[in-house]
Amino acid sequence: MLETIQSLSNEVFDDVVQLRRRIHKNPELAFEEHDTAALVQNTLEPLNLDLRTGIAETGLIATLEGGRPGPTLMLRADMDALPIREETALEFASENDGAMHACGHDAHTSSLLGTAMILSRIRDDLHGTVRFLFQPSEEKLPGGASVMIDEGALHGNGQPAPDTIFGQHVQPELESGHIGVCGGMYMASADEVYVTVRGEGGHAAGPHQLEADATLAAAHVLTALQSVISRNCPPDVPSVLSFGKLTADGATNVIPETARLEGTFRALDEDWRFRAHDLIERVATRTAQAYGAEADVNITVGYPALYNHPDPTERVREAALEYVGKERVVDLDPWFGGEDFAFYLQELPGSFYRIGTRNEAAGITHGLHTPQFTIDEEALRTAPGFMAYLTWRCGANGT
Ligand code: NI
Protein backbone atom coordinates (compact mmCIF):
# COMPACT_ATOMS: atom_id res chain seq x y z
CA MET A 1 0.00 0.00 0.00
CA LEU A 2 2.93 2.35 0.69
CA GLU A 3 4.02 2.32 -2.97
CA THR A 4 0.45 2.53 -4.22
CA ILE A 5 -0.16 5.64 -2.17
CA GLN A 6 3.17 7.18 -3.16
CA SER A 7 2.39 6.74 -6.82
CA LEU A 8 -1.16 8.09 -6.33
CA SER A 9 0.40 11.09 -4.58
CA ASN A 10 2.52 11.66 -7.69
CA GLU A 11 -0.57 11.31 -9.85
CA VAL A 12 -2.54 13.98 -7.98
CA PHE A 13 0.48 16.29 -7.54
CA ASP A 14 -0.28 18.56 -10.53
CA ASP A 15 -3.90 18.95 -9.48
CA VAL A 16 -2.88 19.75 -5.92
CA VAL A 17 -0.40 22.39 -7.11
CA GLN A 18 -3.06 23.97 -9.34
CA LEU A 19 -5.53 24.02 -6.44
CA ARG A 20 -2.93 25.57 -4.18
CA ARG A 21 -2.25 28.31 -6.73
CA ARG A 22 -5.92 29.06 -7.24
CA ILE A 23 -6.46 29.36 -3.51
CA HIS A 24 -3.29 31.42 -3.13
CA LYS A 25 -4.39 33.86 -5.81
CA ASN A 26 -7.75 34.43 -4.13
CA PRO A 27 -7.03 34.60 -0.39
CA GLU A 28 -10.01 35.16 1.87
CA LEU A 29 -9.92 36.35 5.46
CA ALA A 30 -11.38 34.59 8.49
CA PHE A 31 -15.03 33.47 8.14
CA GLU A 32 -15.14 34.92 4.60
CA GLU A 33 -13.74 31.86 2.81
CA HIS A 34 -16.73 31.56 0.44
CA ASP A 35 -14.84 31.10 -2.84
CA THR A 36 -12.37 28.75 -1.16
CA ALA A 37 -15.20 26.68 0.31
CA ALA A 38 -16.89 26.55 -3.09
CA LEU A 39 -13.66 25.35 -4.68
CA VAL A 40 -13.30 22.70 -1.98
CA GLN A 41 -16.89 21.59 -2.54
CA ASN A 42 -16.48 21.45 -6.34
CA THR A 43 -13.31 19.43 -5.99
CA LEU A 44 -14.88 16.96 -3.55
CA GLU A 45 -18.16 16.46 -5.40
CA PRO A 46 -16.84 14.07 -8.10
CA LEU A 47 -15.27 11.94 -5.36
CA ASN A 48 -18.69 10.77 -4.26
CA LEU A 49 -18.37 11.63 -0.58
CA ASP A 50 -21.06 12.55 1.89
CA LEU A 51 -20.78 16.33 2.21
CA ARG A 52 -21.92 18.76 4.90
CA THR A 53 -21.45 22.45 4.12
CA GLY A 54 -22.04 25.78 5.85
CA ILE A 55 -20.72 24.74 9.25
CA ALA A 56 -19.33 27.82 11.04
CA GLU A 57 -20.23 29.88 7.93
CA THR A 58 -17.84 28.37 5.41
CA GLY A 59 -16.69 25.09 6.98
CA LEU A 60 -17.21 21.71 5.30
CA ILE A 61 -17.00 18.09 6.33
CA ALA A 62 -16.78 15.31 3.75
CA THR A 63 -17.10 11.70 4.82
CA LEU A 64 -15.56 8.74 3.05
CA GLU A 65 -16.68 5.26 4.03
CA GLY A 66 -13.96 2.70 3.52
CA GLY A 67 -14.69 -0.75 2.16
CA ARG A 68 -13.62 -2.47 5.36
CA PRO A 69 -14.60 -2.00 8.99
CA GLY A 70 -12.38 0.16 11.16
CA PRO A 71 -12.04 3.34 13.18
CA THR A 72 -13.24 6.82 12.28
CA LEU A 73 -10.46 9.30 11.62
CA MET A 74 -10.80 13.02 11.11
CA LEU A 75 -8.34 15.05 9.02
CA ARG A 76 -8.35 18.82 9.24
CA ALA A 77 -7.24 21.71 7.06
CA ASP A 78 -7.69 25.43 7.69
CA MET A 79 -8.72 27.74 4.84
CA ASP A 80 -8.28 31.38 5.87
CA ALA A 81 -5.70 33.97 4.85
CA LEU A 82 -4.06 36.82 6.76
CA PRO A 83 -4.45 40.59 6.47
CA ILE A 84 -0.99 41.05 4.95
CA ARG A 85 -0.07 42.67 1.63
CA GLU A 86 1.80 40.06 -0.42
CA GLU A 87 5.32 40.85 -1.69
CA THR A 88 6.32 37.63 -3.42
CA ALA A 89 6.10 38.48 -7.16
CA LEU A 90 4.73 34.97 -7.76
CA GLU A 91 2.69 34.68 -10.95
CA PHE A 92 -0.21 33.47 -8.80
CA ALA A 93 0.28 36.12 -6.09
CA SER A 94 -2.72 37.47 -4.22
CA GLU A 95 -5.22 39.44 -6.27
CA ASN A 96 -7.05 40.53 -3.12
CA ASP A 97 -5.19 43.58 -1.95
CA GLY A 98 -4.33 43.36 1.72
CA ALA A 99 -5.01 39.64 2.03
CA MET A 100 -2.45 36.89 1.66
CA HIS A 101 -1.94 33.21 2.32
CA ALA A 102 1.11 33.90 4.46
CA CYS A 103 0.61 30.96 6.80
CA GLY A 104 0.33 28.18 4.23
CA HIS A 105 -3.38 27.47 4.67
CA ASP A 106 -3.59 27.34 0.86
CA ALA A 107 -1.18 24.39 1.05
CA HIS A 108 -3.11 22.76 3.92
CA THR A 109 -6.42 22.96 2.03
CA SER A 110 -5.07 21.76 -1.31
CA SER A 111 -3.08 19.01 0.39
CA LEU A 112 -6.17 17.70 2.19
CA LEU A 113 -8.05 17.73 -1.11
CA GLY A 114 -5.21 15.65 -2.52
CA THR A 115 -5.52 13.26 0.41
CA ALA A 116 -9.25 12.91 -0.31
CA MET A 117 -8.49 12.16 -3.98
CA ILE A 118 -5.97 9.49 -3.01
CA LEU A 119 -8.10 7.82 -0.35
CA SER A 120 -11.17 7.79 -2.56
CA ARG A 121 -9.15 5.82 -5.13
CA ILE A 122 -8.24 3.16 -2.55
CA ARG A 123 -11.63 3.28 -0.85
CA ASP A 124 -12.24 -0.49 -1.14
CA ASP A 125 -9.03 -1.24 0.76
CA LEU A 126 -9.61 1.43 3.36
CA HIS A 127 -10.45 0.33 6.91
CA GLY A 128 -13.01 2.52 8.61
CA THR A 129 -14.30 5.99 7.94
CA VAL A 130 -12.49 9.21 7.12
CA ARG A 131 -13.92 12.67 7.72
CA PHE A 132 -12.22 15.53 5.94
CA LEU A 133 -12.76 18.75 7.84
CA PHE A 134 -12.13 22.10 6.16
CA GLN A 135 -12.40 24.87 8.72
CA PRO A 136 -12.58 28.64 8.50
CA SER A 137 -10.70 31.19 10.55
CA GLU A 138 -7.68 29.65 12.16
CA GLU A 139 -6.08 33.08 12.38
CA LYS A 140 -8.75 35.02 14.20
CA LEU A 141 -10.37 34.59 17.61
CA PRO A 142 -12.43 32.74 18.67
CA GLY A 143 -11.01 30.40 16.01
CA GLY A 144 -13.01 28.44 13.46
CA ALA A 145 -12.24 25.20 15.30
CA SER A 146 -14.19 26.25 18.39
CA VAL A 147 -17.15 27.40 16.28
CA MET A 148 -17.16 24.18 14.28
CA ILE A 149 -17.10 22.14 17.50
CA ASP A 150 -20.00 24.25 18.86
CA GLU A 151 -21.93 23.58 15.67
CA GLY A 152 -21.53 19.83 16.03
CA ALA A 153 -18.62 19.16 13.70
CA LEU A 154 -17.37 16.35 15.92
CA HIS A 155 -20.53 14.87 17.38
CA GLY A 156 -23.30 16.27 15.21
CA ASN A 157 -25.62 14.68 12.65
CA GLY A 158 -26.09 11.67 14.88
CA GLN A 159 -22.63 10.44 14.00
CA PRO A 160 -20.25 9.01 16.57
CA ALA A 161 -17.28 11.21 17.40
CA PRO A 162 -14.10 10.38 15.50
CA ASP A 163 -11.58 8.17 17.27
CA THR A 164 -8.60 10.29 16.29
CA ILE A 165 -7.90 13.59 14.57
CA PHE A 166 -4.83 14.67 12.61
CA GLY A 167 -3.75 18.03 11.26
CA GLN A 168 -0.65 19.36 9.60
CA HIS A 169 1.05 22.73 9.21
CA VAL A 170 3.74 23.91 6.83
CA GLN A 171 7.07 24.86 8.38
CA PRO A 172 9.50 27.08 6.49
CA GLU A 173 12.37 26.24 8.87
CA LEU A 174 12.15 22.57 7.94
CA GLU A 175 13.53 21.18 4.65
CA SER A 176 10.92 20.58 1.97
CA GLY A 177 9.21 17.22 2.37
CA HIS A 178 10.56 16.57 5.86
CA ILE A 179 8.06 15.74 8.57
CA GLY A 180 8.32 17.26 12.05
CA VAL A 181 6.83 15.56 15.09
CA CYS A 182 6.52 16.56 18.75
CA GLY A 183 4.63 14.58 21.40
CA GLY A 184 3.02 16.13 24.49
CA MET A 185 2.72 19.87 24.97
CA TYR A 186 3.70 21.26 21.60
CA MET A 187 2.24 24.74 21.18
CA ALA A 188 1.33 27.49 23.59
CA SER A 189 -1.89 29.02 24.74
CA ALA A 190 -2.09 32.58 23.48
CA ASP A 191 -4.03 35.22 25.41
CA GLU A 192 -4.11 38.97 24.88
CA VAL A 193 -3.54 41.16 27.91
CA TYR A 194 -4.84 44.73 28.06
CA VAL A 195 -4.14 46.91 31.10
CA THR A 196 -5.66 50.39 31.31
CA VAL A 197 -4.23 52.57 34.07
CA ARG A 198 -6.25 55.61 35.13
CA GLY A 199 -4.87 58.59 36.99
CA GLU A 200 -5.51 62.28 36.70
CA GLY A 201 -4.45 64.36 33.73
CA GLY A 202 -2.87 67.78 34.11
CA HIS A 203 0.11 70.07 33.60
CA ALA A 204 3.39 68.23 33.69
CA ALA A 205 4.82 71.07 35.77
CA GLY A 206 2.50 70.24 38.67
CA PRO A 207 2.34 66.49 39.25
CA HIS A 208 2.03 67.09 43.01
CA GLN A 209 -1.39 68.62 42.38
CA LEU A 210 -2.71 65.47 40.68
CA GLU A 211 -4.24 62.39 42.32
CA ALA A 212 -2.05 60.02 40.35
CA ASP A 213 0.21 59.92 37.33
CA ALA A 214 -1.07 57.09 35.13
CA THR A 215 2.12 57.00 33.05
CA LEU A 216 4.38 56.44 36.02
CA ALA A 217 1.98 53.89 37.50
CA ALA A 218 1.86 52.04 34.15
CA ALA A 219 5.66 51.92 34.06
CA HIS A 220 5.67 50.30 37.50
CA VAL A 221 2.88 47.91 36.49
CA LEU A 222 4.92 46.82 33.46
CA THR A 223 7.98 46.17 35.62
CA ALA A 224 6.04 44.48 38.43
CA LEU A 225 4.31 42.11 36.00
CA GLN A 226 7.69 40.61 35.14
CA SER A 227 7.61 38.93 38.54
CA VAL A 228 4.60 36.82 37.57
CA ILE A 229 6.71 34.58 35.32
CA SER A 230 9.97 34.82 37.29
CA ARG A 231 8.48 34.29 40.78
CA ASN A 232 5.19 32.40 40.37
CA CYS A 233 5.52 30.21 37.30
CA PRO A 234 6.81 26.70 38.05
CA PRO A 235 10.33 26.45 36.64
CA ASP A 236 9.44 23.51 34.41
CA VAL A 237 6.55 25.30 32.68
CA PRO A 238 7.53 27.35 29.64
CA SER A 239 5.67 30.65 29.77
CA VAL A 240 6.10 34.17 28.45
CA LEU A 241 4.52 37.57 29.11
CA SER A 242 5.47 40.30 26.65
CA PHE A 243 4.13 43.81 26.21
CA GLY A 244 4.58 45.22 22.72
CA LYS A 245 2.51 48.33 23.11
CA LEU A 246 2.63 51.00 25.78
CA THR A 247 0.66 54.18 25.18
CA ALA A 248 0.29 57.28 27.31
CA ASP A 249 -0.93 59.88 24.92
CA GLY A 250 0.11 63.07 26.66
CA ALA A 251 2.92 65.41 25.61
CA THR A 252 6.21 66.65 27.00
CA ASN A 253 4.24 69.02 29.18
CA VAL A 254 0.98 67.07 29.54
CA ILE A 255 0.38 64.24 31.98
CA PRO A 256 -2.37 62.12 30.37
CA GLU A 257 -5.29 60.73 32.31
CA THR A 258 -4.74 57.16 31.17
CA ALA A 259 -1.97 54.87 30.03
CA ARG A 260 -2.41 51.50 28.39
CA LEU A 261 -0.35 48.34 28.12
CA GLU A 262 -1.02 45.67 25.51
CA GLY A 263 0.69 42.33 25.46
CA THR A 264 0.54 38.62 24.98
CA PHE A 265 0.66 35.86 27.56
CA ARG A 266 1.61 32.38 26.41
CA ALA A 267 2.06 29.14 28.29
CA LEU A 268 2.38 25.40 27.83
CA ASP A 269 0.21 24.48 30.81
CA GLU A 270 -3.51 25.10 31.13
CA ASP A 271 -3.61 25.17 34.98
CA TRP A 272 -0.79 27.66 35.20
CA ARG A 273 -2.36 29.67 32.43
CA PHE A 274 -5.50 30.53 34.39
CA ARG A 275 -3.63 30.97 37.67
CA ALA A 276 -1.40 33.46 35.88
CA HIS A 277 -4.43 35.42 34.68
CA ASP A 278 -5.42 36.03 38.32
CA LEU A 279 -1.88 37.01 39.24
CA ILE A 280 -1.60 39.44 36.34
CA GLU A 281 -4.79 41.09 37.47
CA ARG A 282 -3.69 41.25 41.12
CA VAL A 283 -0.23 42.61 40.44
CA ALA A 284 -1.49 45.21 37.97
CA THR A 285 -4.37 46.54 40.08
CA ARG A 286 -2.45 46.65 43.36
CA THR A 287 0.67 48.15 41.84
CA ALA A 288 -1.42 50.89 40.27
CA GLN A 289 -3.10 51.49 43.63
CA ALA A 290 0.25 52.00 45.28
CA TYR A 291 0.67 55.03 43.01
CA GLY A 292 -2.85 56.31 43.59
CA ALA A 293 -4.03 55.10 40.20
CA GLU A 294 -6.48 52.42 39.13
CA ALA A 295 -5.88 49.60 36.71
CA ASP A 296 -8.43 47.62 34.71
CA VAL A 297 -7.15 44.33 33.40
CA ASN A 298 -8.77 42.68 30.43
CA ILE A 299 -7.53 39.32 29.22
CA THR A 300 -8.86 38.00 25.94
CA VAL A 301 -8.71 34.25 26.28
CA GLY A 302 -7.28 32.82 23.08
CA TYR A 303 -6.45 29.33 21.93
CA PRO A 304 -5.51 26.69 24.49
CA ALA A 305 -2.11 25.07 24.67
CA LEU A 306 -1.85 22.32 22.07
CA TYR A 307 -1.31 18.85 23.50
CA ASN A 308 -0.30 16.10 21.10
CA HIS A 309 -1.56 12.80 22.49
CA PRO A 310 1.13 10.12 22.79
CA ASP A 311 -0.41 7.24 20.79
CA PRO A 312 -1.54 9.24 17.75
CA THR A 313 1.82 11.06 17.75
CA GLU A 314 3.59 7.71 17.69
CA ARG A 315 1.41 6.73 14.73
CA VAL A 316 2.53 9.86 12.91
CA ARG A 317 6.16 9.11 13.67
CA GLU A 318 5.92 5.47 12.59
CA ALA A 319 4.05 6.34 9.40
CA ALA A 320 6.56 9.11 8.62
CA LEU A 321 9.54 6.79 9.13
CA GLU A 322 8.01 4.42 6.60
CA TYR A 323 6.78 7.06 4.17
CA VAL A 324 9.70 9.52 3.97
CA GLY A 325 12.51 7.58 5.67
CA LYS A 326 14.25 8.31 8.95
CA GLU A 327 16.61 10.97 7.58
CA ARG A 328 13.54 13.08 6.78
CA VAL A 329 11.73 12.73 10.10
CA VAL A 330 12.59 15.46 12.59
CA ASP A 331 11.86 15.68 16.33
CA LEU A 332 10.62 19.16 17.05
CA ASP A 333 10.87 21.22 20.20
CA PRO A 334 7.73 22.90 21.54
CA TRP A 335 7.17 26.38 20.22
CA PHE A 336 5.17 29.37 21.34
CA GLY A 337 2.90 29.88 18.38
CA GLY A 338 -0.83 29.48 18.95
CA GLU A 339 -3.05 27.15 16.91
CA ASP A 340 -6.77 26.48 17.22
CA PHE A 341 -6.28 22.79 16.39
CA ALA A 342 -5.74 22.67 20.17
CA PHE A 343 -9.53 22.83 20.63
CA TYR A 344 -9.99 19.53 18.77
CA LEU A 345 -7.26 17.94 20.86
CA GLN A 346 -9.17 18.90 24.01
CA GLU A 347 -12.08 16.82 22.68
CA LEU A 348 -10.36 13.95 20.87
CA PRO A 349 -7.05 12.11 20.83
CA GLY A 350 -4.91 13.25 17.96
CA SER A 351 -1.74 14.87 16.78
CA PHE A 352 -0.64 17.97 14.90
CA TYR A 353 2.54 17.61 12.87
CA ARG A 354 4.59 19.76 10.50
CA ILE A 355 5.52 19.42 6.88
CA GLY A 356 8.74 21.13 5.80
CA THR A 357 8.51 23.64 2.93
CA ARG A 358 11.99 25.20 2.93
CA ASN A 359 14.14 25.29 -0.20
CA GLU A 360 17.18 27.43 0.39
CA ALA A 361 18.54 27.03 -3.16
CA ALA A 362 15.28 28.48 -4.49
CA GLY A 363 15.30 31.27 -1.90
CA ILE A 364 12.27 29.85 -0.10
CA THR A 365 13.24 30.62 3.48
CA HIS A 366 10.90 33.40 4.64
CA GLY A 367 9.01 32.88 7.86
CA LEU A 368 5.30 32.39 8.40
CA HIS A 369 3.23 35.60 8.52
CA THR A 370 5.73 37.59 6.43
CA PRO A 371 4.84 39.28 3.09
CA GLN A 372 7.54 37.19 1.34
CA PHE A 373 6.38 33.82 2.63
CA THR A 374 5.87 31.01 0.17
CA ILE A 375 6.36 27.25 0.07
CA ASP A 376 8.40 24.85 -1.99
CA GLU A 377 5.59 23.18 -3.92
CA GLU A 378 7.54 19.91 -4.04
CA ALA A 379 6.35 19.50 -0.44
CA LEU A 380 2.90 18.95 -1.96
CA ARG A 381 4.21 15.77 -3.52
CA THR A 382 4.74 14.42 0.01
CA ALA A 383 2.03 16.04 2.15
CA PRO A 384 -1.19 14.62 0.64
CA GLY A 385 0.23 11.12 0.23
CA PHE A 386 1.71 11.08 3.69
CA MET A 387 -1.60 12.00 5.29
CA ALA A 388 -3.32 9.36 3.18
CA TYR A 389 -0.79 6.74 4.23
CA LEU A 390 -1.07 7.74 7.90
CA THR A 391 -4.85 7.37 7.63
CA TRP A 392 -4.75 4.04 5.82
CA ARG A 393 -2.18 2.70 8.27
CA CYS A 394 -4.17 3.78 11.35
CA GLY A 395 -7.25 2.10 9.91
CA ALA A 396 -5.41 -1.10 9.11
CA ASN A 397 -3.99 -1.16 12.63
CA GLY A 398 -7.35 -0.47 14.24
CA THR A 399 -6.50 2.95 15.63
NI1 NI B 1 -1.35 28.71 10.26
Side-chain angles (χ1 to χ4, degrees):
M1 191 51 78
L2 179 66
E3 278 111 63
T4 304
I5 290 176
Q6 278 171 337
S7 82
L8 285 171
S9 197
N10 280 327
E11 271 177 39
V12 302
F13 174 65
D14 287 341
D15 287 345
V16 172
V17 168
Q18 289 316 313
L19 286 164
R20 183 254 163 169
R21 292 183 177 192
R22 283 177 69 184
I23 297 168
H24 191 89
K25 201 174 186 173
N26 183 17
E28 297 173 295
L29 299 178
F31 293 117
E32 294 169 9
E33 307 89 342
H34 297 284
D35 292 349
T36 309
L39 180 63
V40 168
Q41 185 172 350
N42 291 339
T43 309
L44 292 173
E45 253 154 18
L47 303 182
N48 211 6
L49 311 177
D50 177 60
L51 202 59
R52 284 168 69 193
T53 60
I55 313 165
E57 298 281 332
T58 57
L60 305 91
I61 298 177
T63 302
L64 172 66
E65 297 285 352
R68 304 180 190 199
T72 298
L73 299 190
M74 186 169 256
L75 309 174
R76 172 272 209 170
D78 42 12
M79 300 189 290
D80 58 319
L82 282 159
I84 289 178
R85 180 162 296 134
E86 180 158 352
E87 294 172 15
T88 61
L90 291 166
E91 64 187 66
F92 50 91
S94 169
E95 291 182 347
N96 299 344
D97 196 27
M100 176 188 176
H101 272 291
C103 195
H105 300 188
D106 51 342
H108 306 160
T109 298
S110 57
S111 174
L112 187 57
L113 288 169
T115 303
M117 293 174 202
I118 295 167
L119 289 175
S120 67
R121 292 191 202 179
I122 58 160
R123 166 192 301 242
D124 293 344
D125 293 314
L126 193 65
H127 303 255
T129 303
V130 187
R131 295 199 201 132
F132 304 91
L133 180 150
F134 295 85
Q135 82 157 66
S137 184
E138 191 282 319
E139 299 288 0
K140 198 171 156 193
L141 293 178
S146 64
V147 184
M148 288 203 74
I149 292 168
D150 287 347
E151 295 192 13
L154 304 183
H155 309 272
N157 256 17
Q159 296 167 316
D163 296 291
T164 307
I165 185 165
F166 294 110
Q168 66 173 346
H169 202 293
V170 298
Q171 181 157 342
E173 292 80 21
L174 205 59
E175 282 307 306
S176 182
H178 285 40
I179 289 166
V181 187
C182 178
M185 274 299 176
Y186 172 45
M187 291 173 71
S189 59
D191 304 316
E192 292 168 4
V193 182
Y194 300 92
V195 182
T196 305
V197 181
R198 284 173 228 290
E200 190 184 352
H203 202 297
H208 59 289
Q209 292 162 332
L210 305 176
E211 283 285 321
D213 177 350
T215 311
L216 178 67
H220 281 280
V221 167
L222 177 62
T223 311
L225 283 173
Q226 299 311 306
S227 73
V228 172
I229 306 294
S230 75
R231 299 295 83 190
N232 301 109
C233 180
D236 58 341
V237 175
S239 183
V240 73
L241 176 63
S242 296
F243 287 92
K245 194 167 178 186
L246 166 56
T247 38
D249 203 11
T252 53
N253 55 358
V254 177
I255 292 174
E257 196 180 316
T258 61
R260 195 167 153 86
L261 307 171
E262 297 177 37
T264 183
F265 170 66
R266 295 172 184 236
L268 288 179
D269 182 288
E270 288 290 296
D271 289 338
W272 158 245
R273 177 193 188 191
F274 290 104
R275 210 146 53 76
H277 288 184
D278 294 342
L279 288 164
I280 290 168
E281 170 143 22
R282 188 186 81 190
V283 171
T285 51
R286 296 196 190 168
T287 302
Q289 275 166 16
Y291 293 87
E294 275 176 26
D296 291 333
V297 177
N298 250 305
I299 298 178
T300 307
V301 174
Y303 303 156
L306 185 148
Y307 178 73
N308 275 333
H309 297 250
D311 282 357
T313 304
E314 263 324 288
R315 299 287 182 179
V316 173
R317 191 190 308 276
E318 290 161 6
L321 290 170
E322 291 169 15
Y323 197 85
V324 297
K326 74 171 190 301
E327 64 287 348
R328 299 209 290 163
V329 180
V330 181
D331 282 311
L332 299 174
D333 292 327
W335 77 297
F336 270 69
E339 164 62 59
D340 76 348
F341 193 79
F343 285 116
Y344 301 118
L345 294 176
Q346 287 187 327
E347 305 282 325
L348 305 172
S351 192
F352 189 67
Y353 61 88
R354 314 286 289 203
I355 176 88
T357 54
R358 182 186 190 84
N359 182 338
E360 208 160 340
I364 300 171
T365 57
H366 293 283
L368 297 171
H369 295 211
T370 66
Q372 298 84 15
F373 173 76
T374 190
I375 62 158
D376 177 26
E377 287 179 329
E378 275 299 307
L380 294 175
R381 202 181 285 284
T382 303
F386 172 65
M387 199 178 248
Y389 181 66
L390 170 66
T391 304
W392 176 82
R393 195 179 180 281
C394 284
N397 286 310
T399 299

PDB file of all heavy atoms in Angstrom, residues 78 103 105 108 138-139 169 339 369, ligand 1:
ATOM      1  N   ASP A  78      -7.135  24.091   7.482  1.00  0.00           N
ATOM      2  CA  ASP A  78      -7.692  25.433   7.688  1.00  0.00           C
ATOM      3  C   ASP A  78      -7.615  26.202   6.367  1.00  0.00           C
ATOM      4  O   ASP A  78      -6.757  25.948   5.533  1.00  0.00           O
ATOM      5  CB  ASP A  78      -6.985  26.174   8.831  1.00  0.00           C
ATOM      6  CG  ASP A  78      -5.475  25.992   8.822  1.00  0.00           C
ATOM      7  OD1 ASP A  78      -4.918  25.484   7.822  1.00  0.00           O
ATOM      8  OD2 ASP A  78      -4.824  26.363   9.811  1.00  0.00           O
ATOM      9  N   CYS A 103       0.410  31.981   5.766  1.00  0.00           N
ATOM     10  CA  CYS A 103       0.609  30.957   6.800  1.00  0.00           C
ATOM     11  C   CYS A 103       0.423  29.562   6.208  1.00  0.00           C
ATOM     12  O   CYS A 103       0.313  28.581   6.924  1.00  0.00           O
ATOM     13  CB  CYS A 103      -0.328  31.188   7.976  1.00  0.00           C
ATOM     14  SG  CYS A 103       0.141  30.269   9.450  1.00  0.00           S
ATOM     15  N   HIS A 105      -2.088  28.162   4.614  1.00  0.00           N
ATOM     16  CA  HIS A 105      -3.379  27.466   4.674  1.00  0.00           C
ATOM     17  C   HIS A 105      -3.849  27.066   3.269  1.00  0.00           C
ATOM     18  O   HIS A 105      -4.645  26.136   3.127  1.00  0.00           O
ATOM     19  CB  HIS A 105      -4.425  28.319   5.401  1.00  0.00           C
ATOM     20  CG  HIS A 105      -4.042  28.645   6.822  1.00  0.00           C
ATOM     21  ND1 HIS A 105      -4.896  29.254   7.717  1.00  0.00           N
ATOM     22  CD2 HIS A 105      -2.897  28.436   7.513  1.00  0.00           C
ATOM     23  CE1 HIS A 105      -4.281  29.408   8.884  1.00  0.00           C
ATOM     24  NE2 HIS A 105      -3.062  28.925   8.777  1.00  0.00           N
ATOM     25  N   HIS A 108      -2.400  23.728   3.076  1.00  0.00           N
ATOM     26  CA  HIS A 108      -3.114  22.755   3.918  1.00  0.00           C
ATOM     27  C   HIS A 108      -4.401  22.294   3.226  1.00  0.00           C
ATOM     28  O   HIS A 108      -4.735  21.111   3.215  1.00  0.00           O
ATOM     29  CB  HIS A 108      -3.471  23.356   5.279  1.00  0.00           C
ATOM     30  CG  HIS A 108      -2.304  23.936   6.019  1.00  0.00           C
ATOM     31  ND1 HIS A 108      -2.441  24.849   7.042  1.00  0.00           N
ATOM     32  CD2 HIS A 108      -0.965  23.751   5.876  1.00  0.00           C
ATOM     33  CE1 HIS A 108      -1.241  25.185   7.489  1.00  0.00           C
ATOM     34  NE2 HIS A 108      -0.336  24.532   6.805  1.00  0.00           N
ATOM     35  N   GLU A 138      -8.652  30.068  11.139  1.00  0.00           N
ATOM     36  CA  GLU A 138      -7.677  29.646  12.163  1.00  0.00           C
ATOM     37  C   GLU A 138      -6.997  30.865  12.760  1.00  0.00           C
ATOM     38  O   GLU A 138      -6.556  30.837  13.905  1.00  0.00           O
ATOM     39  CB  GLU A 138      -6.639  28.699  11.544  1.00  0.00           C
ATOM     40  CG  GLU A 138      -5.749  28.008  12.560  1.00  0.00           C
ATOM     41  CD  GLU A 138      -4.648  28.892  13.108  1.00  0.00           C
ATOM     42  OE1 GLU A 138      -4.049  29.638  12.325  1.00  0.00           O
ATOM     43  OE2 GLU A 138      -4.395  28.861  14.327  1.00  0.00           O
ATOM     44  N   GLU A 139      -6.917  31.939  11.996  1.00  0.00           N
ATOM     45  CA  GLU A 139      -6.080  33.078  12.382  1.00  0.00           C
ATOM     46  C   GLU A 139      -6.753  34.047  13.340  1.00  0.00           C
ATOM     47  O   GLU A 139      -6.095  34.904  13.907  1.00  0.00           O
ATOM     48  CB  GLU A 139      -5.642  33.859  11.138  1.00  0.00           C
ATOM     49  CG  GLU A 139      -4.814  33.057  10.136  1.00  0.00           C
ATOM     50  CD  GLU A 139      -3.407  32.753  10.623  1.00  0.00           C
ATOM     51  OE1 GLU A 139      -3.058  33.163  11.748  1.00  0.00           O
ATOM     52  OE2 GLU A 139      -2.669  32.090   9.887  1.00  0.00           O
ATOM     53  N   HIS A 169       0.750  21.326   9.482  1.00  0.00           N
ATOM     54  CA  HIS A 169       1.048  22.732   9.206  1.00  0.00           C
ATOM     55  C   HIS A 169       2.400  22.828   8.505  1.00  0.00           C
ATOM     56  O   HIS A 169       3.334  22.127   8.886  1.00  0.00           O
ATOM     57  CB  HIS A 169       1.084  23.550  10.501  1.00  0.00           C
ATOM     58  CG  HIS A 169       0.856  25.005  10.275  1.00  0.00           C
ATOM     59  ND1 HIS A 169       1.748  25.806   9.591  1.00  0.00           N
ATOM     60  CD2 HIS A 169      -0.175  25.801  10.615  1.00  0.00           C
ATOM     61  CE1 HIS A 169       1.268  27.037   9.532  1.00  0.00           C
ATOM     62  NE2 HIS A 169       0.101  27.070  10.145  1.00  0.00           N
ATOM     63  N   GLU A 339      -2.426  27.903  18.008  1.00  0.00           N
ATOM     64  CA  GLU A 339      -3.053  27.151  16.908  1.00  0.00           C
ATOM     65  C   GLU A 339      -4.381  26.609  17.429  1.00  0.00           C
ATOM     66  O   GLU A 339      -4.400  25.937  18.463  1.00  0.00           O
ATOM     67  CB  GLU A 339      -2.097  26.017  16.499  1.00  0.00           C
ATOM     68  CG  GLU A 339      -2.687  24.911  15.656  1.00  0.00           C
ATOM     69  CD  GLU A 339      -3.216  25.370  14.297  1.00  0.00           C
ATOM     70  OE1 GLU A 339      -2.443  25.920  13.493  1.00  0.00           O
ATOM     71  OE2 GLU A 339      -4.418  25.156  14.039  1.00  0.00           O
ATOM     72  N   HIS A 369       3.802  34.272   8.222  1.00  0.00           N
ATOM     73  CA  HIS A 369       3.232  35.604   8.523  1.00  0.00           C
ATOM     74  C   HIS A 369       4.126  36.747   8.036  1.00  0.00           C
ATOM     75  O   HIS A 369       4.055  37.843   8.576  1.00  0.00           O
ATOM     76  CB  HIS A 369       2.923  35.775  10.029  1.00  0.00           C
ATOM     77  CG  HIS A 369       1.856  34.853  10.538  1.00  0.00           C
ATOM     78  ND1 HIS A 369       1.000  35.186  11.577  1.00  0.00           N
ATOM     79  CD2 HIS A 369       1.491  33.608  10.164  1.00  0.00           C
ATOM     80  CE1 HIS A 369       0.167  34.176  11.804  1.00  0.00           C
ATOM     81  NE2 HIS A 369       0.461  33.202  10.963  1.00  0.00           N
TER      82      HIS A 369
HETATM   83 NI    NI B   1      -1.349  28.713  10.262  1.00  0.00          NI
END
